[in-house]
Amino acid sequence: MLRYVPLLVMLTMLTTHPAMAQSDAEMKACVDRSNGVSSAMLDCGKIEIDKFDARLNAAYNTLIHRRHGPERTRLQREQRAWLKHHLQETRRLAADPNNGSAALLDSQGFELDDLSTRTVELEKRAQKNP
C-alpha cells in the first residue's frame, strides 16, 4: 500500500487545478507508466513543470513589455515576490525530514500547483490587457 502513496499524490496533483486540464491526459499516461516508482513520477512532474515554466515566462514577458514606469516596476516586484515565496516553499517541502521520500513529491506537487496558478493568472492578465 505504501508503494502507491506517491502515485496518489501525483494523481491528486492532476485533478486539483483547472490550469492542468490541458496536460492531464499526458500526465496521467506518464504517471500510469511509472508503475508507482517515485523517480519516474518525479520525471513526469518535471515535464509538466517545464511546460508551465515556458508558458509563465511567455506571459510575463508579454506583460512586462507592455508596461512602463511605475506599472512595470510594480509587476517586476510582484513577480520577484512570487518567485521568492515559490522557491522558498518548494525547498522547504523538499527538505522536510518528517516526510521521507514523499517530501520530493510534496514539493513537486506544490511547485506544479503554484506555477500553474501563477501561469494562468499572468496569461489572463496578458489577454485582458493587449
Side-chain angles (χ1 to χ4, degrees):
M1 178 65 180
L2 289 178
R3 175 178 173 214
Y4 295 103
V5 170
L7 180 61
L8 294 174
V9 171
M10 289 298 279
L11 290 175
T12 300
M13 283 175 22
L14 286 173
T15 58
T16 58
H17 202 279
M20 296 178 67
Q22 299 172 13
S23 300
D24 276 355
E26 293 172 20
M27 178 78 165
K28 184 174 181 336
C30 185
V31 170
D32 287 346
R33 285 190 306 271
S34 75
N35 292 319
V37 176
S38 297
S39 61
M41 287 189 290
L42 288 168
D43 290 343
C44 297
K46 175 75 170 105
I47 291 167
E48 288 303 303
I49 287 168
D50 289 347
K51 289 177 189 176
F52 277 103
D53 193 45
R55 285 175 51 189
L56 180 132
N57 288 331
Y60 177 76
N61 285 329
T62 296
L63 286 169
I64 202 72
H65 285 42
R66 293 180 187 164
R67 304 291 191 265
H68 303 287
E71 216 177 283
R72 183 184 183 115
T73 302
R74 191 171 28 258
L75 177 62
Q76 287 172 322
R77 273 193 233 135
E78 175 189 324
Q79 186 66 9
R80 285 180 187 134
W82 172 82
L83 185 58
K84 180 180 178 182
H85 173 264
H86 176 80
L87 293 173
Q88 285 176 338
E89 188 64 8
T90 300
R91 289 177 186 139
R92 183 191 70 77
L93 289 167
D96 184 353
N98 299 319
N99 214 0
S101 62
L104 292 177
L105 289 168
D106 287 348
S107 173
Q108 190 178 73
F110 166 80
E111 182 178 11
L112 189 51
D113 185 56
D114 193 45
L115 183 60
S116 62
T117 299
R118 181 66 177 168
T119 299
V120 169
E121 178 187 331
L122 292 182
E123 287 175 339
K124 285 180 181 176
R125 287 164 63 179
Q127 290 172 355
K128 193 163 75 170
N129 301 316

